[in-house]
Amino acid sequence: MAFVRPTIGLTALQQTSAAAVRSLHSSAPLLRAPVSIVDPVHHRIRYKKTILHPKYQKMLTTPKWDPRSHLFKPCDLHPRRLLKHWENTLAPDLMLANYVHNEVRIRGRKHQEWDGSSPYHVNRPKRAPAGNAEATPDILPRTFENVPNLTAIWVNTFNHGAVVDHQERNIPAMVMLQQITGKKPKPAYSGASVLQWKLRKGRQVGAVVKLTGADMDQFMSTLVEIVLPRVKNFAGIANSSGDKFGNISFGLTPESLYLFPELEGNPDLWTDVVGVNITFVTSAQTDPEARLMLSSFGIPFYGRERFHNVPSLTGAKQTRKKGIVYYENSQE
Amino acid sequence: MVLNKSLRPLWSQSKHVTDIIVASRRALATTTASAEATTEESVSAKEEQKFKLMAGVILSRPPIVTPEPTAFEKAYHHYQSELYKRLSWTFPHWFYFPKGSLAENEYKRVQPQLTEDDPNVLLNRKRDEKQEIVFPPRSVQRETEESARIYAKIVPQPRKTEADEKNDITKLDRKLDRTLYLIVKKEGEFSDWQFPAAPIRKGESLEVASERVLLENGGEDMNVFFVSETPALYYKKFYKEDETYNGAKIFYLKSRIFNGMFKPQRGSQITDYAWVTKEEIESFVSPRYWTIIAPALSLH
């Protein structure tokens, strides 16, 4: 490789031997080994900006995306198969399938202006949306610019054992997440104290991984081609799942997680496996569009489907709840 | 013929196709294309009803494999992946092979033993190179057919098939990385190459008519999926010597074929058919037909 990462100050041999030297003066960090000498070996460079040698000053201003930067992380390791499939096959089909003639913008619930009848209305925060509900985004007409696509996959786990038993039980859960996603998870902490659940605010209750790009593609392929077809009694994701704005969630039990090849190859190693929740974050504006997109990737759905914010639906039963119009599929 | 309707969203299922057709006709009545200007003027004197209403199908096979990356793309991905391996963590063998186990001994035995004197070597890994992991050989004593199949080296199928070598355009397994479209050539009125189409019968919806077109022309041995009831393409054709009709208006629905074969039927008057890519279609069809259908076809 043409580019060799800079090692600071000393040769590797000197650094290794210097690691054993105890030093209390300000140049101590420079004498420390630039790699962690405990397994696993992290090739991490430690430096102090203030006492950095002038010839290395340039690395402070080199942007992160530049391969010459010491912070550069290569991401495009191979062509993205799922993305190509979406671009070449799914996107044109989804655009045609979601097309609605003479479609208009559906305005979501918004914060309301004060009418200005009182002088105290000036600078007063806006009123809550109608129905005292949360504000919602507008539904825009479907064009070539907003064809639904998969944006990210969140994989998170809530470790009940760690809450009632020991905090250390989070470690195998995090390693398991890392194993099936290929990315280092971040710990998730409790936001509130709940006495009945023995939950205290600020304690670690699980872990979470956000997958994008190639990692997301890899996880999706594994899920659709290897794991889900072998899950016992798996009917699909419930049609009732979804946050109304194109994000679909479902859960996998510990038994199903053993079907991931990374765990299946060495099941004796994994004794304390906890279930995970998986959320597909899509750029679809409504849940039915997100389901259509996900099903074209090979994910099945089951149950009665309800539609909302779909403008031109004829012959379906309508119900209105909290300002959102729901349509029921009369064909099922 | 098997029709897959499950993927179609409800709002496209329940839409009245006749509404679309009426709306399209109204819109088209107000606009005149420059290419058709001369014919349009002579026709405009006649009545609008004298156009034959027809349903057509753009039947396509989506790409099966990803496109072959260019030399630049290959070099780019190679650089990135080598750098990624160089920067990645040391393989945690202590996690997968418990200390003191036979597996650990076997693993350690086959690894290359790097000299400790080399300042570039730390923990049996060269610090400026990627880690090369050697897997211990499997014990062949317990080899079964099943295990041999699982551990056999994966060899991908070739991108070029037999149909590619023979340039057989009637086969579906050619040009695996491209979208293939079905075009047909008929006796009589449709002597030019084009997508299959037929007149809509009285009281028949556009979708039912286009399904009938496929059934009558290609037979039952096809597993197809109609993407939407919304037409993907509109084509207006003019007849020069026809007393009853001034021309035909053809609405094409988009559909995908998953498996099966297109077999020309007896009563369909099909003399020839072909599965071709976008570029190849241009050499088959008439120039006017090409200018209209080209935007509806996939580049990949």
Side-chain angles (χ1 to χ4, degrees):
Chain A
M1 192 171 299
F3 173 69
V4 178
R5 280 165 181 265
T7 49
I8 299 167
L10 306 164
T11 65
L13 186 65
Q14 286 169 319
Q15 285 159 355
T16 320
S17 55
V21 179
R22 290 190 64 188
S23 179
L24 297 173
H25 55 83
S26 62
S27 64
L30 278 179
L31 291 170
R32 200 174 298 153
V35 293
S36 151
I37 55 169
V38 183
D39 286 359
V41 183
H42 303 174
H43 293 257
R44 190 172 49 199
I45 301 167
R46 307 185 65 152
Y47 56 88
K48 263 192 178 177
K49 284 180 187 176
T50 48
I51 51 172
L52 196 64
H53 193 279
K55 72 177 176 183
Y56 296 123
Q57 289 289 335
K58 208 176 178 182
M59 68 191 249
L60 297 179
T61 51
T62 315
K64 222 176 172 179
W65 50 262
D66 193 330
R68 283 169 297 183
S69 166
H70 66 296
L71 297 171
F72 176 74
K73 185 176 181 277
C75 292
D76 291 347
L77 307 186
H78 44 75
R80 288 178 60 187
R81 189 172 63 97
L82 281 197
L83 185 67
K84 280 286 168 200
H85 174 56
W86 182 86
E87 283 173 356
N88 298 346
T89 309
L90 299 186
D93 283 8
L94 287 171
M95 192 174 77
L96 191 67
N98 291 331
Y99 174 79
V100 176
H101 202 62
N102 289 339
E103 195 177 4
V104 291
R105 185 191 185 110
I106 302 175
R107 209 175 126 75
R109 291 190 301 259
K110 303 291 173 195
H111 285 277
Q112 303 171 59
E113 296 277 359
W114 295 97
D115 56 1
S117 58
S118 160
Y120 294 105
H121 286 171
V122 179
N123 290 338
R124 183 183 282 185
K126 284 181 181 175
R127 282 158 62 207
N132 214 7
E134 287 186 2
T136 57
D138 292 354
I139 307 291
L140 306 176
R142 278 78 175 170
T143 65
F144 67 95
E145 286 170 326
N146 56 16
V147 181
N149 194 2
L150 194 59
T151 315
I153 299 177
W154 286 88
V155 188
N156 67 292
T157 172
F158 178 86
N159 196 349
H160 183 70
V163 174
V164 296
D165 192 7
H166 293 293
Q167 286 278 285
E168 285 74 21
R169 286 180 68 177
N170 278 316
I171 296 169
M174 289 176 81
V175 177
M176 184 271 296
L177 268 191
Q178 181 170 339
Q179 193 76 25
I180 63 173
T181 59
K183 212 173 168 189
K184 191 171 178 180
K186 287 186 174 169
Y189 300 100
S190 166
S193 299
V194 182
L195 186 66
Q196 291 87 341
W197 301 345
K198 299 187 178 180
L199 203 63
R200 267 192 245 157
K201 190 177 176 181
R203 299 245 304 180
Q204 189 185 348
V205 290
V208 59
V209 187
K210 185 192 181 186
L211 298 170
T212 51
D215 293 332
M216 176 179 77
D217 288 5
Q218 179 60 47
F219 185 76
M220 188 74 171
S221 307
T222 314
L223 200 64
V224 169
E225 289 162 22
I226 299 173
V227 179
L228 294 186
R230 295 189 293 157
V231 174
K232 269 190 183 174
N233 303 327
F234 182 71
I237 301 178
N239 267 331
S240 56
S241 171
D243 69 345
K244 299 189 186 71
F245 300 105
N247 304 316
I248 311 279
S249 302
F250 76 108
L252 281 181
T253 57
E255 293 77 37
S256 312
L257 287 176
Y258 280 110
L259 300 172
F260 275 90
E262 294 87 357
L263 271 57
E264 195 182 22
N266 203 349
D268 299 343
L269 201 62
W270 308 96
T271 50
D272 197 5
V273 171
V274 288
V276 296
N277 294 323
I278 297 168
T279 305
F280 298 110
V281 182
T282 71
S283 59
Q285 301 187 67
T286 60
D287 284 351
E289 283 177 339
R291 275 183 220 117
L292 183 67
M293 192 269 294
L294 289 173
S295 63
S296 59
F297 275 122
I299 289 184
F301 288 89
Y302 77 93
R304 193 186 62 171
E305 188 169 18
R306 297 176 86 196
F307 298 90
H308 56 85
N309 283 332
V310 179
S312 68
L313 200 79
T314 49
K317 192 181 149 198
Q318 289 185 18
T319 47
R320 188 175 278 273
K321 192 179 168 188
K322 283 192 176 179
I324 294 179
V325 184
Y326 289 93
Y327 303 89
E328 277 194 22
N329 193 343
S330 54
Q331 294 173 354
E332 285 185 18
Chain B
M1 187 164 62
V2 185
L3 289 165
N4 296 279
K5 294 189 178 181
S6 56
L7 291 185
R8 232 169 308 157
L10 177 64
W11 60 90
S12 87
Q13 283 174 19
S14 56
K15 192 145 186 72
H16 291 302
V17 180
T18 45
D19 292 352
I20 301 171
I21 295 168
V22 169
S24 313
R25 287 177 78 177
R26 276 185 203 138
L28 285 158
T30 53
T31 56
T32 48
S34 59
E36 301 165 6
T38 49
T39 6
E40 196 79 52
E41 280 167 19
S42 60
V43 167
S44 60
K46 298 181 183 176
E47 288 178 22
E48 183 71 17
Q49 293 91 337
K50 294 216 169 173
F51 276 91
K52 203 193 276 182
L53 208 56
M54 297 179 75
V57 183
I58 306 177
L59 185 60
S60 58
R61 190 223 62 194
I64 291 169
V65 298
T66 48
E68 179 76 19
T70 60
F72 176 77
E73 283 173 335
K74 276 182 188 167
Y76 171 72
H77 291 309
H78 178 72
Y79 174 79
Q80 295 255 335
S81 60
E82 288 298 302
L83 189 56
Y84 182 84
K85 286 169 194 164
R86 153 74 184 82
L87 297 175
S88 59
W89 289 8
T90 306
F91 173 64
H93 62 84
W94 54 89
F95 184 76
Y96 293 98
F97 308 119
K99 253 186 187 176
S101 64
L102 280 175
E104 192 205 18
N105 284 348
E106 189 66 8
Y107 172 81
K108 282 191 170 173
R109 191 177 60 78
V110 295
Q111 299 312 308
Q113 295 302 317
L114 303 174
T115 52
E116 289 295 326
D117 302 339
D118 190 352
N120 196 25
V121 171
L122 202 65
L123 290 165
N124 206 24
R125 177 184 176 181
K126 284 191 179 174
R127 291 178 52 233
D128 59 350
E129 284 178 18
K130 68 176 178 185
Q131 188 187 11
E132 298 281 0
I133 301 168
V134 185
F135 287 100
R138 289 183 305 116
S139 58
V140 196
Q141 295 164 359
R142 284 177 289 167
E143 186 84 284
T144 59
E145 273 189 27
E146 178 72 9
S147 65
R149 190 180 58 79
I150 291 170
Y151 286 101
K153 198 186 176 190
I154 297 169
V155 183
Q157 295 286 328
R159 286 174 164 272
K160 299 238 170 185
T161 60
E162 197 184 331
D164 274 323
E165 284 163 13
K166 291 179 182 171
N167 202 18
D168 187 356
I169 55 173
T170 59
K171 286 277 165 61
L172 255 177
D173 62 344
R174 65 186 290 269
K175 301 255 179 184
L176 297 182
D177 59 344
R178 296 293 311 274
T179 306
L180 291 184
Y181 294 96
L182 173 75
I183 52 172
V184 294
K185 194 177 183 180
K186 286 188 176 184
E187 293 168 359
E189 185 192 329
F190 297 98
S191 55
D192 293 342
W193 283 96
Q194 52 179 290
F195 298 128
I200 298 176
R201 289 175 186 160
K202 200 177 179 184
E204 201 176 38
S205 76
L206 189 53
E207 201 209 359
V208 174
S210 48
E211 283 169 10
R212 181 174 55 78
V213 169
L214 269 192
L215 203 64
E216 285 177 357
N217 288 310
E220 291 184 344
D221 297 341
M222 282 189 292
N223 188 357
V224 300
F225 155 61
F226 277 83
V227 174
S228 172
E229 287 182 6
T230 311
L233 182 67
Y234 166 72
Y235 178 64
K236 199 172 184 180
K237 189 178 181 178
F238 295 99
Y239 298 158
K240 283 173 187 167
E241 297 163 3
D242 195 307
E243 291 180 354
T244 48
Y245 291 107
N246 294 325
K249 290 178 174 180
I250 314 175
F251 292 88
Y252 290 101
L253 291 197
K254 188 179 186 180
S255 67
R256 300 284 197 186
I257 183 165
F258 291 130
N259 49 34
M261 276 178 75
F262 180 86
K263 291 173 185 165
Q265 300 297 299
R266 259 186 200 172
S268 62
Q269 297 180 316
I270 290 178
T271 54
D272 206 356
Y273 74 97
W275 289 100
V276 281
T277 62
K278 184 181 180 178
E279 289 82 58
E280 289 166 344
I281 288 181
E282 192 176 5
S283 60
F284 281 87
V285 300
S286 69
R288 180 169 176 269
Y289 194 64
W290 169 249
T291 53
I292 289 165
I293 65 166
L297 306 181
S298 173
L299 284 167
H300 300 284

